[in-house]
Amino acid sequence: MNIKSLQNWLRHSVRLISVVVAMVVLVGSIAWLSGMFESKIEPGWTQASGTELTDQPTDVVHEVEKSYVEEAVGTLKASSRMIVSSKLLATIDQITVSAGDEVDKGQVLIRLDDKEYQSRLAQANRALEAATANREQAEKQFTRMQTLIKQNAASRSDFDNASRDLQVTIADEAKAKQAVREAEVMLSYTTIVAAKSGRIVDRTAEPGDIAQPGQPILTLYDSTSLRLEAPVMEHLAVKLHAGDELNVHVDALDRTFPAIVDEIVPQADAPSRSFLVKASVPKSDDLYEGMFGRLLVPAGERRHLCLASDAVVKIGQLEFVDVVLPDNNIERRLIKSGQLGMPGRQEVLSGVDVGERVVLHQPADVTNE
């Protein structure tokens, strides 16, 4: 074997050894990362030992029966709402209220320019005076003709003409009186008053604007007619009746108000499978139309587990209890808690069984563990 062949053989041998070493290192690393060189825990349950109950106070997990409610989210709306507008085409002279004001029935809200309608009324009164004068003159003429016809000093046609003139003037006077009444009514429309007591919630015009018939100027609602309108699931709505007493919780005020069911719309909403329930709430200066509220609907009774709040140990976002086993050992279990019950009691959804004993901790122990 010459020198060149020997060099080639050595070069290939080094490459092969490098590949083999790299493969061995790779396999060793994978085995180490997978825990092949560490001791394993045999499968199965191993009871924790070393923690026994001493003189710690304990409590028993109870099963209780509790009424519960379901919430129906809704909005406060007024059953009595009114749009204030003008019946005339006229300039607005004055608006006496603003949004948020409370008004009484009969209170003046808006005054319109009434010069044109004052002139119409004056014209109608002058026409009535003329019609009255004509009627009085016709009555005198008719009375005179009655006297003359009895004395055979007038013809029958003259008497008939006097009678006809009297009837025409009476009709003209009645027409003039009607025109006066119409002018007075039109003039009264220039002063707009509140038809009922309520609260102003919107003002869409200002003095100087032209009021057009039917165009909204003010919006008000009766603050005593507020009610929560909420869709209630059909399995609960069918058990409700008009007059039932419920509660309404208003989140913005963090207060609960008594409510009475006024109306249940007798048609279910197909997509949501719910009925619209309207429950009236008492008048309050803190309640406004459009506020968010929750209708609390009784949903029956249910049984659940309950234990002392001092038994719950919180570690981060997790909750545990220390359960006393029959052999007096303590086992820590993960639980899922529910709502708070009476003061010092906690609803438990999972993790313990009824009748089991749990260890009570001092508040400092619960927070520091």
Side-chain angles (χ1 to χ4, degrees), residues 88-142:
L88 306 175
L89 180 64
T91 302
I92 300 175
D93 275 351
Q94 183 184 14
I95 301 178
T96 63
V97 294
S98 301
D101 291 347
E102 291 280 353
V103 299
D104 298 323
K105 181 178 180 180
Q107 179 178 335
V108 175
L109 303 178
I110 303 166
R111 289 189 174 91
L112 305 178
D113 183 9
D114 62 353
K115 298 182 182 64
E116 177 184 353
Y117 299 96
Q118 290 281 10
S119 298
R120 291 185 183 183
L121 178 59
Q123 183 180 359
N125 283 324
R126 299 292 84 78
L128 176 59
E129 291 175 0
T132 301
N134 290 335
R135 189 261 307 162
E136 292 174 349
Q137 180 62 31
E139 284 181 345
K140 293 177 181 179
Q141 182 65 20
F142 179 74

Side-chain angles (χ1 to χ4, degrees), residues 80-82 103-106 193-198 220-222:
S80 178
R81 186 181 180 91
M82 184 174 65
V103 299
D104 298 323
K105 181 178 180 180
V193 300
K196 61 178 68 176
S197 299
L220 67 86
Y221 69 87
D222 185 359

